[in-house]
Amino acid sequence: MPFAAALSEHPVTAHAVGEAAGAVLEALGERPDLVTVFVTPPHAGALEDIVAAVDELLHPLASIGAATDAVVGPHREVEGTAAVSLFAARTGPLLPVDLQAVQAPDGELHLGGWPTELAFDPQVLLLLADPASFPVDGFLQWLHDRHPRLPVVGGLTPSGHAGASRLAVGREVRGAGAVGVLLGPGTEVRTVVSQGCRPFGQPVVVTRAEGNIIFELAGVPALQRLVMQANESLTPAEVAVVEHGGLHLGRVIDEHRAVFGRGDFLMRAVLGADRSNGAMAVGDVVPVGTTVQFHLRDARTADEDLRAVLRGAEADGALLFTCNGRGTRLFAKPHHDASVVAEALGAPPLGGCFAAGELGPVGGTNFVHGLTASLVLLRDPRPQPGLLSAQDQPPRP
């Protein structure tokens, strides 16, 4: 199998890197095409030494990594203590990117580091970005205009200010910008995004709004509409979840659909409401005419949604980017998302990290999410039974 993953919780950085890299070497051998490196804060200061050691031991064609709040490895997640997580793969054609971007006041994006030409058609962009210095939304729009069908999966690093992140591409460590890898056609790729919400009430149309403030839904003050739908659809326990931060508004992505279901809504948190006029603040701009529906998010719903979006999926290797508001902050038991991925997919090699914003496509468009689990599932493209690949053909007599 051309994928391997390993995680070490040794508190000494050199030992942790040796353990993880040794396990990858044993499972996959050296010179993989891709390696991802994620470390928790106790190892963040040594990220330069870590990526140099990984490069020296594994000799990957491309590698990216970051220091994050918590990391993901096979069957488990490590929060709050020292850990190093490695994922390695033989993917076929790929290209690392080291990006810098500035968005002008008129909205124009000035981007550096993107390749002017590609020798292959990319299937996915794995991206790690510093939100304080890299205009992620602007970049996603720039990418949509040029590569509208290219999915982006990854995460934003925790960063209090520009320059505070720790991002790695190859042996180089950056404090700002974004790093990524474009994967070509050598591996089968599927993206999965679990926003962890379930709808209640009925879809309605925004009839009055300004910016991220919604005043009316279907001609009724937004707060009044919420109370009406909650009273009709929710139990007292679910109403309590709504009152304690579990309320989200799903915005329809494709208005041409006749019926809306799972995956048709982009979730945005409801930030608050004004009882004096019934207005509601949402974490996004929602224009008049948009179809929306209220959604509920709690641990049970997040668990059910992740299991549902993974049902029937297959993977030989996987990368998981899960929100730093999930983990033990949301679920009663540790390792939730990693455990569900292992159970649903048959425990493939798994790597990844917790993020301060997750990247993934919904309805064919890339977005920055919150409280979401975003995955890229990788499969080895095996020849069909009874068929020989070119290198397996017997020599001519």
Side-chain angles (χ1 to χ4, degrees), residues 44-331:
L47 187 58
E48 289 90 347
D49 295 333
I50 292 171
V51 295
V54 168
D55 188 66
E56 187 69 26
L57 293 168
L58 299 180
H59 305 292
L61 288 180
S63 65
I64 58 170
T68 62
D69 289 335
V71 299
V72 176
H75 299 280
R76 66 193 197 275
E77 303 159 6
V78 180
E79 306 174 59
T81 60
V84 173
S85 174
L86 299 183
F87 177 85
R90 302 196 189 281
T91 63
L94 79 173
L95 181 68
V97 292
D98 185 1
L99 304 175
Q100 308 82 40
V102 175
Q103 194 153 20
D106 62 0
E108 183 179 359
L109 188 77
H110 301 280
L111 181 68
W114 188 261
T116 55
E117 293 184 7
L118 285 171
F120 56 83
D121 291 327
Q123 293 191 87
V124 68
L125 170 63
L126 303 177
L127 187 70
L128 307 170
D130 168 41
S133 63
F134 191 81
V136 181
D137 288 328
F139 171 72
L140 294 180
Q141 183 59 56
W142 180 93
L143 192 68
H144 177 77
D145 294 339
R146 291 157 179 81
H147 302 277
R149 291 180 296 277
L150 178 63
V152 179
V153 177
L156 310 186
T157 57
S159 173
H161 56 85
S165 285
R166 303 282 284 163
L167 297 165
V169 54
R171 289 187 174 221
E172 300 297 322
V173 175
R174 307 275 184 259
V179 299
V181 174
L182 288 158
L183 296 186
T187 301
E188 293 181 8
V189 173
R190 175 181 172 183
T191 61
V192 174
V193 175
S194 172
Q195 299 183 85
C197 293
R198 66 176 176 84
F200 67 89
Q202 298 296 323
V204 290
V205 175
V206 176
T207 50
R208 185 179 166 219
E210 184 176 336
N212 73 321
I213 307 299
I214 299 175
F215 292 96
E216 291 183 359
L217 294 172
V220 174
L223 183 58
Q224 181 181 341
R225 179 68 65 184
L226 168 63
V227 172
M228 292 165 54
Q229 294 199 353
N231 288 339
E232 294 171 357
S233 308
L234 301 182
T235 66
E238 290 169 334
V239 170
V241 171
V242 167
E243 293 173 344
H244 289 84
L247 178 64
H248 289 70
L249 192 71
R251 172 168 66 86
V252 164
I253 298 168
D254 183 0
E255 294 280 0
H256 295 94
R257 290 181 177 272
V259 179
F260 305 116
R262 186 188 301 274
D264 294 330
F265 293 92
L266 174 66
M267 300 303 156
R268 291 298 185 245
V270 175
L271 306 178
D274 186 341
R275 294 183 181 276
S276 66
N277 61 7
M280 184 176 294
V282 182
D284 200 355
V285 174
V286 186
V288 170
T290 303
T291 302
V292 298
Q293 186 169 8
F294 289 114
H295 283 70
L296 178 72
R297 175 186 274 141
D298 58 12
R300 179 177 66 85
T301 301
D303 173 79
E304 291 173 351
D305 187 68
L306 182 57
R307 294 179 187 278
V309 296
L310 288 173
R311 191 169 296 124
E314 296 180 341
D316 297 318
L319 284 166
L320 166 65
F321 301 90
T322 188
C323 183
N324 54 20
R326 292 170 70 102
T328 53
R329 293 183 180 182
L330 179 62
F331 301 104

